[in-house]
Amino acid sequence: MQGVRVRVPGSCGELIQGSIDGNDFLVSCPINLYSRVNVHFDQTIENIKINKYAPRTQQAVELLLKKYELPKKGIKIDINTDLINAAGMASSTADITASLAAIMILLKGEIDINLLTNIAIKIEPSDSVFLDGLHIFNHRSGKDAEYLGEAPEMDIMLFKEPGLVDSLKFNKNKKLAFLNKNKEDIIKKALSILKKGIREEDCRLIGKASTLSSFAHQHILPKKSLAKLVEITDQKEGIYGVNIAHSGTLIGILVAKNFIETELLLEIKENLPELKFLNRVKLISGGIEMRVDNGTSSWRKLNQSCKKEWV
């Protein structure tokens, strides 16, 4: 096999994030923007060569090659991404997991999802975008992932507040456990609503849950635009709610796929000029995909076994 092409989606932050009984978790909000990775062997080099500055991906790949006892393997990794760094789009998780998956396929012909998860978590707290469907996921330990279901049809209007957030520094905050404990009751309620919404494919319930989680997080990493944005969007036909990047600067407005955005964008621009509109995207089910050149050059999902609960 000469080369492998893999992609992993990014996210519009999370549908929900917090902790229950001291266990941290999130439910990522995967979207149809991706990190695409092309990996192949190169006999002219003795180590890993990546086409962009990606030290966390480099470290993850080195750990994988060490596990396979191939520390000197010459591998070229080309990363092409739609995702913004330090905003809450799971850009680092997508780069890391796509690269690991591609190398696993190249070397072993299959993905070891547990090994992939363990390496990703060693590098940094990780999003669940590489798992099939929508998952509850402990972003610190990688354990006890719970499959909730597939993503219903929903669009997301993607906005960004000014600034950047280093997710590694954010997750090292010693006060974070205490702050998460303070919002636990709200998160329990939001999670119950979210589970029901995904199970019943009820976008309004999903929007209600994500809005609850967004406001519960305001005392941890506040979004200056959030309250006004909800005031603008509340009770508008075709709008389900909002969600945020809990360790980033993104805010999403969850809308019906046939929602016409023109008037809303004008209203937001007038009232919240500092809020930058990035794109309109789709909520999707997460998962690792490989490019298959079978005449149609389609992408094929790989880690279907992740639908089961695993540790």
Side-chain angles (χ1 to χ4, degrees):
M1 185 179 290
Q2 295 300 312
V4 173
R5 287 178 289 173
V6 165
R7 72 178 185 181
V8 171
S11 71
C12 174
E14 298 79 32
L15 294 171
I16 186 172
Q17 182 170 328
S19 67
I20 295 177
D21 298 328
N23 295 310
D24 294 319
F25 76 95
L26 54 74
V27 179
S28 290
C29 180
I31 57 176
N32 61 330
L33 298 176
Y34 298 88
S35 175
R36 303 171 190 84
V37 171
N38 189 357
V39 174
H40 60 274
F41 293 133
D42 187 338
Q43 295 180 353
T44 66
I45 59 176
E46 292 185 351
N47 48 24
I48 304 153
K49 184 176 181 181
I50 305 177
N51 69 324
K52 71 169 193 172
Y53 180 71
R56 297 177 193 177
T57 300
Q58 177 94 18
Q59 186 181 357
V61 172
E62 287 172 356
L63 287 174
L64 178 63
L65 294 181
K66 184 177 180 181
K67 178 70 176 179
Y68 286 161
E69 298 181 349
L70 296 168
K72 295 294 184 181
K73 196 72 173 177
I75 294 179
K76 276 192 175 180
I77 303 172
D78 293 324
I79 301 173
N80 178 17
T81 184
D82 304 323
L83 310 174
I84 300 170
N85 292 329
M89 295 190 80
S91 58
S92 185
T93 295
D95 287 352
I96 288 170
T97 55
S99 298
L100 291 175
I103 292 170
M104 285 177 171
I105 295 166
L106 198 62
L107 293 173
K108 302 292 183 178
E110 61 182 6
I111 296 172
D112 182 338
I113 195 65
N114 290 314
L115 176 58
L116 183 150
T117 303
N118 289 338
I119 291 175
I121 291 294
K122 281 183 180 179
I123 303 300
E124 63 177 9
S126 299
D127 295 272
S128 60
V129 289
F130 63 96
L131 300 177
D132 270 0
L134 301 176
H135 275 75
I136 298 172
F137 183 68
N138 187 320
H139 50 289
R140 294 182 183 276
S141 71
K143 295 182 178 180
D144 301 322
E146 180 183 344
Y147 171 72
L148 297 178
E150 299 300 303
E153 285 193 342
M154 182 192 300
D155 283 7
I156 303 174
M157 296 172 63
L158 191 61
F159 293 85
K160 183 184 182 301
E161 288 194 333
L164 301 171
V165 177
D166 186 323
S167 60
L168 268 178
K169 288 183 180 179
F170 173 82
N171 281 287
K172 288 179 180 178
N173 184 349
K174 294 180 180 179
K175 296 181 180 179
L176 198 54
F178 172 76
L179 294 171
N180 276 329
K181 180 68 176 176
N182 285 343
K183 66 172 185 172
E184 184 171 320
D185 288 343
I186 299 173
I187 294 302
K188 283 181 178 178
K189 179 180 178 181
L191 182 58
S192 177
I193 295 169
L194 181 66
K195 285 183 173 182
K196 181 177 173 64
I198 294 172
R199 185 171 62 249
E200 298 180 0
E201 299 184 1
D202 188 327
C203 294
R204 293 196 178 279
L205 288 179
I206 293 171
K208 182 178 180 180
S210 64
T211 302
L212 279 172
S213 184
S214 299
F215 275 109
H217 204 65
Q218 283 292 80
H219 71 291
I220 298 178
L221 186 65
K223 304 289 186 289
K224 294 180 180 179
S225 310
L226 183 63
K228 185 63 177 179
L229 191 64
V230 170
E231 180 185 322
I232 291 169
T233 57
D234 192 39
Q235 303 300 317
K236 279 186 168 61
E237 186 68 27
I239 297 180
Y240 304 127
V242 299
N243 82 306
I244 63 166
H246 292 70
S247 58
T249 55
L250 296 182
I251 304 179
I253 303 177
L254 313 182
V255 301
K257 64 177 183 177
N258 60 352
F259 177 77
I260 299 173
E261 66 195 40
T262 310
E263 290 184 7
L264 179 62
L265 285 175
L266 289 173
E267 189 174 357
I268 291 171
K269 186 176 182 180
E270 181 180 341
N271 288 277
L272 295 167
E274 74 282 2
L275 195 60
K276 182 181 179 181
F277 177 61
L278 299 178
N279 205 343
R280 181 165 175 165
V281 296
K282 293 186 179 299
L283 175 68
I284 64 170
S285 296
I288 301 168
E289 297 177 298
M290 185 173 74
R291 187 80 163 184
V292 180
D293 293 319
N294 56 2
T296 61
S297 294
S298 59
W299 292 94
R300 178 170 61 87
K301 280 278 182 76
L302 294 177
N303 55 317
Q304 299 297 324
S305 62
C306 288
K307 290 186 178 181
K308 297 179 181 178
E309 188 170 329
W310 50 271
V311 177

